Each structure stands twice: as C-alpha cells, then as structure tokens.
C-alpha cells in the first residue's frame, strides 16, 4: 500500500500591484536557483532509474548463463530444479524491488517536472515577450506533464493508458518480473506434470502482473492527488489542448 501524503499547499496569489522591481528580481534569482536544483534532481532520478534497471537485467542475464552451465554440468534433474527455483526466487525479489523503486522515482520526477513548469510560468509572466520562445509547458496539469521533459512530448494524455504504461521502463520491468514469477510457478508445479506446471506458471504471471500494475496505478493516482494543478492547460478553439499561455504549438 502506498502511504498517502498531504496535498501540497496552494500558493498564495501574487499581488502584482504591490510587487516592486526589486521583489521580482529577488524572486527571479530564487526561482532560478530552484529550477537548477529541480533539474539536477530530475537528472539524478533518471540516472538512478537506469542504474536499477541495468542491475536487474544484468542479474537476470547472469542467472540465464548459470542455468546454461548447470544444464551441462552433470547435475541431476531434482537438484537442477531446486537450484533454478532458488535462483529465480532471488531474481523475482530483485525484480519486485526494482519495480517499486522505479515507481518511486517516477513519483519524484512528477514532482520535479511540476515544479519546473510552475517556475517557467513565473518566468513567462515576468517577461511576456519571452513567451513565444518557450517550447516547454508553462502549465502544471496532467496534459502539461505529458508535454514535459522525458515524456515523449505528447499533445494530450494517451488514450491507450495500459499500452502506454507497458512500453515505459516500469512496464518493461513489470512484465519481465511477471515472467520470472511465472517461471517460479512452473518450476513449483513441475512435479505434477506439464498441465499443472503451465497452469501454475500462467497464474503466477497474471497475478504478479496485475498486482504490480495495480500498485503502480494507485501510486501515481496518489501523487497526482497531491499535485493539484494551479495553472491548467487552456484549450484551443478546435478542442485540442494548447501549449499554454506561451502560445507555442502543441505536439502533433
């Protein structure tokens, strides 16, 4: 279960009439520093995601090589099944841990990207002449998140959410982990024959995949609830979401 966190407080509306040039300059300096910190944190999150994924896939590949050597090493079938089952259990644990960590990194990235979009909104309002040159969103809703850094620059949220999730790094790790779980189930039922083994393998695969995706969905829904949008993406006259008040075109 994902621990719920309190919604982020809404910022107080700025009183433009009371803002002096000195106040705007100080705010610009502070937010520029914050933008740099968020960008660095986002890069670190992506690096951690790639590192954990590479570690998991590396261990999985090593386990496959070990199975190949064990098959030609003269082990009897019972011993080979026990060894394979224990190794797959270890890989399954690492896969689940990697998946959970990748989801946590995605949650962190959503916070960082939202903060960067809000700071970009401030910059656009402070210097309206720069608006037409901003190609990244100045809104902070879900539509803007899909047009931000590292998201594929979509014009709107994907219609086939499940397919979109599956091709993400988290989805790939989730599917591979479910396959490993299916392998564990198949080995556990090997003594009962092929029908039992395949039935247990299929059941373990489906149950693991569903549980991982349910956890993923709830985790993202929880973090979205804390990031209530303050600057929604305006709609264009023909119904497509625009890039924001900056006036830049939407992705095709």
């Amino acid at each position: 279960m994902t621990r719920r966190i309190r919604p982020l407080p809404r910022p107080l509306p700025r009183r433009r009439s009371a803002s002096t040039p000195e106040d705007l300059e100080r705010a610009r300096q502070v937010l520029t520093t914050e933008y740099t910190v968020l960008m660095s944190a986002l890069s670190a999150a992506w690096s951690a995601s790639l590192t954990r994924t590479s570690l998991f896939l590396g261990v999985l590949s090593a386990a496959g090589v070990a199975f190949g050597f064990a098959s030609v090493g003269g082990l009897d079938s019972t011993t080979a099944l026990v060894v394979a089952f224990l190794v797959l259990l270890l890989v399954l644990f690492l896969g689940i841990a990697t998946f959970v960590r990748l989801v946590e990194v995605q949650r962190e990235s959503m916070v960082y990207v939202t903060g960067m979009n809000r700071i970009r909104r401030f910059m656009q309002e402070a210097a309206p002449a720069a608006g037409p040159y901003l190609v990244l969103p100045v809104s902070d809703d879900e539509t803007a998140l899909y047009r931000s850094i590292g998201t594929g620059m979509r014009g709107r949220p994907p219609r086939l959410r499940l397919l979109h999730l599956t091709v993400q790094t988290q989805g790939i790790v989730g599917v591979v982990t479910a396959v490993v779980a299916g392998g564990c189930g198949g080995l556990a039922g090997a003594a009962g024959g092929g029908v039992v083994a395949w039935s247990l393998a299929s059941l373990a695969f489906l149950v693991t995949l569903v549980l991982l995706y349910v956890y993923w969905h709830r985790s993202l829904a929880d973090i979205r609830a804390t990031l209530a949008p303050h600057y929604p993406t305006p709609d264009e006259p023909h119904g497509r979401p625009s890039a924001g008040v900056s006036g830049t075109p939407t992705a095709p």
Side-chain angles (χ1 to χ4, degrees), residues 113-121 137-140 144-145 148:
V113 170
T114 300
M116 294 166 64
N117 287 354
R118 290 177 180 177
I119 294 176
R120 201 177 298 111
R121 175 70 172 235
V138 294
S139 302
D140 60 352
L145 286 178
S148 300

Side-chain angles (χ1 to χ4, degrees), residues 59-73 75 80 83-84 87:
V59 171
L60 179 62
S61 301
V65 173
F67 292 156
F69 282 115
S71 64
V72 298
L75 293 177
V83 172
V87 172

Side-chain angles (χ1 to χ4, degrees), residues 77-184:
S77 59
T78 302
T79 303
L81 286 177
V82 172
V83 172
F85 182 74
L86 293 177
V87 172
L88 285 183
L89 280 181
L90 175 62
V91 177
L92 177 61
F93 166 76
L94 182 59
I96 295 175
T98 301
F99 182 84
V100 171
R101 180 53 187 157
L102 291 179
V103 173
E104 291 178 348
V105 169
Q106 185 179 14
R107 288 164 54 92
E108 296 174 11
S109 300
M110 291 175 64
V111 175
Y112 302 151
V113 170
T114 300
M116 294 166 64
N117 287 354
R118 290 177 180 177
I119 294 176
R120 201 177 298 111
R121 175 70 172 235
F122 170 84
M123 296 299 182
Q124 194 275 338
E125 292 179 348
Y133 302 98
L134 298 178
V135 296
L136 292 177
V138 294
S139 302
D140 60 352
D141 56 357
E142 186 178 9
T143 300
L145 286 178
Y146 280 103
R147 291 199 63 253
S148 300
I149 301 174
T151 60
M153 300 296 179
R154 295 175 175 269
R156 59 170 62 90
R159 296 179 180 177
L160 303 176
R161 296 294 183 94
L162 184 60
L163 179 61
H164 176 74
L165 291 177
T166 303
V167 300
Q168 305 301 311
T169 303
Q170 297 88 337
I172 295 174
V173 171
V175 171
V176 173
T177 302
V179 171
V180 174
C184 291

